[in-house]
Amino acid sequence: MPIIPPQEQREQRQLIYELRKYLTPEELAQLDRLSWSPQRERERYRHDPSAFAREVLKMDIAFYQSDVLQKLHDHHRVAFVGPRGTGKSTIAAAAVLWFISVFDECKIPTTASAWRQLVEFLWPEIHKWASQADWWRVGMTVRQGRELLAQRLEINKNRAAFAMASSNEAKIEGAHSAAVLMVFDESKAIPDAIWDSAEGALGTNENAYALALSTPGDNVGRFFDIFHKPDKFPHWKTVRATLEDAV
């Protein structure tokens, strides 16, 4: 491919800018698609998951949801607690779809204290946002019944998100890939043994991430300890939200 001199690149950008003034909204959308660089945008989104949520998934995310996503990128392990109505499933779906978009090889096990939480809440939320996303922005195709199944999203055999029962420690510990994101929904009731298995799977992989979400619960368990014993879990960052924050 020939290299375009910088001056010519600037002239082309100026020409496109002037041309945009005379185009209809439909023509502008088509021009954006033709001049788009999915690889460049994927690299940008890799470091800005909130922009991915807004621009690709078309989410109107709250400030604390943006905080969760950015902390996930920056620190790799984030725990989020909030009452019902604070969009926990939405932000979990955003994290899953962001991760599978920016890593070419990855596994994303999603688990919960109850299988019903995955089937009735988290995965329907993933379907909702995946079905309306502008996947062309990242050069991907996601179709219902093809890449996107009931509780699985598979771009290829090395790039997939899936539901996993929290009672199976061996499967959780066996989730290895170049990049791993573990999502724990309604984490307050997940047994400590599952958390320990997850830590074994995450290991020393520099592209290992974990997102734990839950409503408030009893003053026991690993999820509670992450918030109240930070010295014991210094690698976890925490975010809290109230219903007032969600208004």
Side-chain angles (χ1 to χ4, degrees):
M1 180 177 294
I3 298 175
I4 302 174
Q7 178 62 30
E8 189 173 337
Q9 291 181 32
R10 287 191 291 271
E11 291 173 356
Q12 288 181 356
R13 286 196 295 268
Q14 183 62 31
L15 179 61
I16 291 172
Y17 176 78
E18 294 296 331
L19 178 63
R20 295 177 69 89
K21 299 177 183 178
Y22 304 99
L23 299 180
T24 65
E26 293 77 14
E27 290 169 337
L28 280 170
Q30 185 62 25
L31 178 63
D32 286 341
R33 288 175 182 255
L34 291 173
S35 60
W36 205 257
S37 171
Q39 188 58 42
R40 184 183 63 235
E41 291 304 294
R42 285 182 64 212
E43 185 61 26
R44 179 171 71 90
Y45 291 139
R46 180 165 179 167
H47 300 289
D48 193 349
S50 294
F52 174 86
R54 291 190 301 267
E55 297 170 11
V56 179
L57 303 181
K58 295 177 281 188
M59 286 182 174
D60 183 15
I61 58 174
F63 70 92
Y64 59 86
Q65 292 173 315
S66 180
D67 191 25
V68 170
L69 288 174
Q70 197 57 48
K71 278 188 167 68
L72 182 63
H73 169 269
D74 294 344
H75 304 287
H76 290 210
R77 285 169 175 78
V78 180
F80 173 47
V81 66
R84 298 190 186 281
T86 49
K88 292 182 295 298
S89 294
T90 297
I91 209 61
V96 168
L97 297 173
W98 164 70
F99 202 81
I100 206 168
S101 298
V102 300
F103 287 100
D104 290 327
E105 182 179 340
C106 63
K107 285 185 180 177
I108 310 169
T110 63
T111 192
S113 54
W115 184 252
R116 174 177 171 270
Q117 182 69 25
L118 299 174
V119 172
E120 296 186 14
F121 297 98
L122 177 55
W123 275 90
E125 195 73 8
I126 291 172
H127 276 250
K128 169 187 172 181
W129 295 106
S131 298
Q132 68 179 42
D134 283 338
W135 290 113
W136 60 269
R137 289 180 174 269
V138 288
M140 287 173 53
T141 300
V142 174
R143 298 162 291 185
Q144 289 278 355
R146 298 287 295 275
E147 292 81 13
L148 184 59
L149 304 175
Q151 286 93 45
R152 187 176 184 88
L153 171 57
E154 183 173 310
I155 306 305
N156 57 53
K157 64 179 181 179
N158 295 317
R159 194 177 180 188
F162 46 90
M164 180 181 292
S166 63
S167 58
N168 196 324
E169 299 170 30
K171 282 190 176 181
I172 289 176
E173 193 166 3
H176 296 288
S177 182
V180 176
L181 168 63
M182 292 199 170
V183 177
F184 303 91
D185 203 359
E186 279 307 303
S187 308
K188 63 187 179 187
I190 292 178
D192 284 0
I194 298 300
W195 291 93
D196 293 337
S197 294
E199 288 291 348
L202 296 172
T204 58
N205 184 348
E206 66 177 11
N207 287 322
Y209 298 71
L211 173 62
L213 314 97
S214 189
T215 52
D218 295 334
N219 298 342
V220 294
R222 182 67 56 85
F223 186 74
F224 176 84
D225 289 345
I226 288 171
F227 281 87
H228 297 276
K229 299 178 181 179
D231 292 344
K232 193 174 179 180
F233 302 99
H235 50 297
W236 282 87
K237 301 300 176 182
T238 59
V239 179
R240 302 169 185 265
T242 66
L243 279 177
E244 288 74 18
D245 292 328
V247 174

